[in-house]
Each structure stands twice: as C-alpha cells, then as structure tokens.
C-alpha cells in the first residue's frame, strides 16, 4: 500500500509538472494577445509599476495541469472530489474577480462583500459534502497534543471561518513574483507526505498533482515573472490548502504550516486597525508585510526565499508534532 502511494504521488507530481510547462509556453503569449495584463496598485511599491501589463490569470495554467491527473484519480477516490470542488470553486470566484479587473483596467475587482458571500457559499457546500462522505470523521487534531476536538453542531461554522481565513491569507500572499507559488508548493509537499504517513491514500495524488503543477508554474512565475497567477490562482490555492487540511483532520495546524498566510493577513488587519485608531499612523511601512520588507531594502527574491524557508521549517515542525 505504501509503495503504491509513493508511486501515485510521484506520477501525479511529474505529470502535472510537465503539463504546466507545456501549457505555459503557448498560453502566456495568448494571455498577452487577449490583453489580460496585471493592473498594479497605485499605492504599491514604485518598483512594481514596471510589472503593469504582465499577463495575469496564470492560475489557469497550474489548475489545468492539476486537473488531468486529479480527475483520473477522482474516478476511484471519492475524497478527492470535494477538495477539487473547493479548489475550483474558489478559482471561479478568482476568475470573475480578475475578469472585472481586466475589463475595467483597475486593480479592484469584486467588492469584499461579494467575494466573501461567494466564498461562504462554496465553503458551505464543501462542508456539507465532506460530512456526507462514508466514514468521515469530523474530529480535529488539537495542536501540540494527541487529543481530538469534536465540535458537534459548531463544526460547519468552524470550517466556514477556517476556510475563508485561509483563502484570504493565500490571496494576500500573492504579491511578489513566485511568493505564493513557492510557499504553497512547500505546503503541498508537507500535506502529501503527511497523507502518505497516515495512510490517506485517496488524497495523496491530489497533493502530488498540486506540487508538480506549482513547480511547473514557478518556471515562469519566479522573478522576473512572465506571468502572474491572479486571484484565479491565489484563491484556488487557499481553497486547496484548507480542503486538504480539513480532510486530513489538521485544520487547526494551518496557522503553523501556513504561517506565511497568517502573517500576511494579520499584517493587513493590524495595519488597517491601527491606521483607523491612530488617525493615520502606520505600524508597517506597507501591508501586506512582504511590501514592508521590500521598503526596508530587501529584494523580491530575498523576501520569497526567506518566506519559503520559513514555510519549509514550519512544515517540518508541524509534521514532527503530528507524528509524535
């Protein structure tokens, strides 16, 4: 059984990587032709102004690459289906958001209320789906212990909070070339290894497929990026991470292994709250926090490298805590 899981993980990783590279080569010029260019925030770092016009919606590349092996395995493994639903559902929200930005030539798409409503609706459907899976356990592993938490009627409300918080964290992390791709590739590797260790064979191919798809996408998304994932990609990644964590019973570990997501969203909340309370003062030079480090003089590649290393170390720590 374990050997077949390693084989599934490797095959899905390699296949999705190759597909991502092969798809990116023709799709990036097509996105250029369709004028699906990135709209840059006017209040963002000046160094980002040169990125205006770089093709966005590149999340389509790794999502299509993810789909091919995942759909094949989903025919045999029912647990893959709700995770794919949440990933692609959030991708659809992101695609709508990106489309509005492109059509209006503005850096703002859906308003926050519209986006939040759609996220809640998709998460609710996902939550109901997994609760109906045969033999599904709704208990959550409590961090730093071997105890399990059963929330009863509060389980679905808890999932609504966890998923939307994780998704928005991933969305804020997508602000530098290769940042969200690199961080989430590390998380996908961690989730895949943990799924193998716990014998959750049904989820192993999906983790491998996402890892390979992101590595292939990174060949074009690393600095200087030839394509951006857009909300199409970042919202899908948040959905993927939260779905896999929930199905593996470890969503309470998300703040640890996906600490960068948490750091990014907290930096925005702290910055906005303090700005309002102090009547115009700021804690960070700019939020999300990756821009703060840029304005301190860090290069994009340094920020991405450091944040990826942090994700790798915290994923290793999470795995160690979970198997002890």
């Amino acid at each position: 059984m374990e050997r077949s899981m390693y084989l599934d993980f490797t095959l899905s990783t390699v296949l999705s990587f190759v597909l991502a590279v092969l798809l990116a080569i023709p799709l990036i010029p097509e996105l250029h032709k369709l004028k699906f260019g990135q709209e840059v925030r006017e209040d963002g770092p000046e160094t980002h102004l040169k990125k205006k016009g770089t093709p966005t919606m590149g999340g389509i590349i790794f999502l299509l690459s993810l789909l091919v092996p995942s759909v094949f395995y989903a025919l045999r493994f029912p647990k893959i289906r709700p995770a794919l639903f949440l990933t692609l559902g959030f991708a659809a929200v992101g695609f709508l958001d990106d489309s509005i930005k492109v059509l209006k030539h503005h850096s703002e798409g859906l308003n926050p209320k519209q986006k939040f409503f759609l996220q809640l609706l998709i998460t609710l459907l996902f939550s109901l789906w997994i609760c109906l899976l045969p033999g599904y356990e709704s208990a959550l592993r409590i961090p730093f212990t071997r105890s399990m938490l059963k929330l009863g009627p509060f389980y679905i409300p808890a999932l609504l909070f966890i998923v939307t918080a994780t998704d928005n964290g991933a969305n804020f992390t997508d602000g530098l070339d290769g940042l969200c791709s690199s961080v989430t590739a590390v998380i996908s590797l961690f989730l895949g290894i943990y799924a193998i260790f716990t014998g959750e064979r049904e989820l192993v191919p999906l983790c491998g497929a996402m890892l390979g798809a992101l590595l292939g996408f990174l060949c074009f998304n690393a600095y200087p990026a030839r394509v951006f994932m857009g909300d199409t990609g970042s919202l899908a990644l948040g959905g993927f991470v939260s779905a896999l964590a929930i199905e593996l019973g470890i969503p309470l570990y998300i703040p640890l292994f996906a600490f960068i997501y948490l750091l990014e969203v907290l930096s925005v909340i702290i910055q906005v709250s303090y700005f309002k309370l102090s009547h115009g003062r700021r804690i960070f030079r700019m939020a999300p926090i990756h821009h703060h480090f840029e304005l301190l003089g860090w290069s994009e590649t340094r920020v991405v490298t450091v944040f990826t290393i942090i994700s790798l170390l915290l994923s290793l720590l999470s795995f160690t805590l979970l198997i002890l």
Side-chain angles (χ1 to χ4, degrees), residues 174-194:
D174 180 36
L176 299 180
D177 296 4
L179 178 57
C180 195
S181 306
S182 300
V183 167
T184 312
V186 169
I187 294 172
S188 300
L189 177 61
F190 156 71
L191 292 169
I193 293 173
Y194 182 68

Side-chain angles (χ1 to χ4, degrees), residues 2-320:
E2 190 172 290
R3 291 179 64 182
S4 65
M5 286 194 286
Y6 283 120
L7 182 61
D8 287 341
F9 186 77
T10 302
L11 287 176
S12 57
T13 299
V14 173
L15 176 58
S16 57
F17 172 82
V18 172
L19 285 171
V21 172
L22 293 178
L23 283 170
I25 294 171
L27 274 178
I28 293 174
E30 285 302 313
L31 291 172
H32 259 299
K33 289 178 185 177
L34 293 170
K35 300 187 186 300
F36 285 174
Q38 176 74 21
E39 295 296 331
V40 179
R41 285 172 49 188
E42 293 179 0
D43 59 342
E46 290 184 9
T47 54
H48 286 216
L49 296 177
K50 63 184 178 183
K51 299 183 181 187
K52 187 172 183 178
T54 302
T56 188
M57 294 191 188
I60 295 170
I61 295 168
F62 64 76
L63 289 169
L64 290 174
S65 309
L66 171 78
L67 267 179
V68 174
S70 298
V71 168
F72 171 76
Y73 281 105
L75 297 174
R76 289 191 293 151
F77 300 147
K79 283 189 176 181
I80 287 180
R81 299 167 198 168
L84 267 181
F85 169 77
L86 190 64
T87 302
L88 298 178
F90 280 173
V93 176
F95 184 81
L96 179 60
D97 192 48
D98 285 334
S99 300
I100 294 171
K101 291 175 186 176
V102 169
L103 291 173
K104 290 187 175 181
H105 297 287
H106 197 271
S107 61
E108 298 296 330
L110 291 169
N111 68 52
K113 288 183 179 178
Q114 292 171 328
K115 189 182 291 187
F116 186 60
F117 172 76
L118 291 171
Q119 287 174 316
L120 282 179
L121 178 61
I122 294 167
T123 304
L124 179 61
L125 294 174
F126 162 79
S127 302
L128 294 172
W129 188 343
I130 62 170
C131 287
L132 295 173
L133 288 173
Y136 179 74
E137 286 286 339
S138 61
L140 310 178
R141 177 77 177 270
I142 301 174
F144 310 107
T145 72
R146 296 193 65 81
S147 303
M148 304 297 287
L149 176 65
K150 292 189 176 182
L151 296 172
F154 298 103
Y155 180 68
I156 289 181
L159 294 192
L160 292 175
F161 173 77
I162 290 168
V163 174
T164 52
T166 303
D167 201 45
N168 286 300
N171 192 216
F172 282 127
T173 303
D174 180 36
L176 299 180
D177 296 4
L179 178 57
C180 195
S181 306
S182 300
V183 167
T184 312
V186 169
I187 294 172
S188 300
L189 177 61
F190 156 71
L191 292 169
I193 293 173
Y194 182 68
I196 292 171
F197 181 83
T198 54
E200 288 284 353
R201 185 186 180 189
E202 294 194 20
L203 299 174
V204 170
L206 186 57
C207 296
M210 181 59 87
L211 173 62
L214 286 174
L215 292 177
F217 181 68
L218 263 170
C219 294
F220 306 88
N221 182 235
Y223 183 86
R226 290 178 55 193
V227 64
F228 299 134
M229 67 172 65
D231 282 6
T232 305
S234 61
L235 292 182
L237 292 182
F240 168 81
V241 170
S242 51
L244 266 293
I246 289 166
E247 291 204 56
L248 287 168
I250 56 171
L252 298 183
Y253 274 83
I254 290 176
L256 185 58
F257 66 75
F259 174 73
I260 295 301
Y261 288 2
L262 176 65
L263 182 65
E264 296 280 8
V265 75
L266 279 181
S267 69
V268 173
I269 293 171
I270 292 169
Q271 184 86 324
V272 172
S273 301
Y274 187 72
F275 185 84
K276 290 179 178 178
L277 290 171
S278 65
H279 305 289
R281 296 173 64 186
R282 292 176 171 85
I283 291 179
F284 306 109
R285 293 197 176 187
M286 187 175 291
I289 200 166
H290 53 256
H291 291 320
H292 172 76
F293 288 106
E294 274 193 289
L295 295 178
L296 287 178
W298 288 30
S299 66
E300 281 196 53
T301 51
R302 184 182 179 189
V303 176
V304 172
T305 301
V306 170
F307 280 27
T308 304
I309 290 171
I310 291 170
S311 297
L312 182 59
L313 292 174
L314 291 178
S315 292
L316 179 61
L317 175 61
S318 298
F319 182 75
T320 304

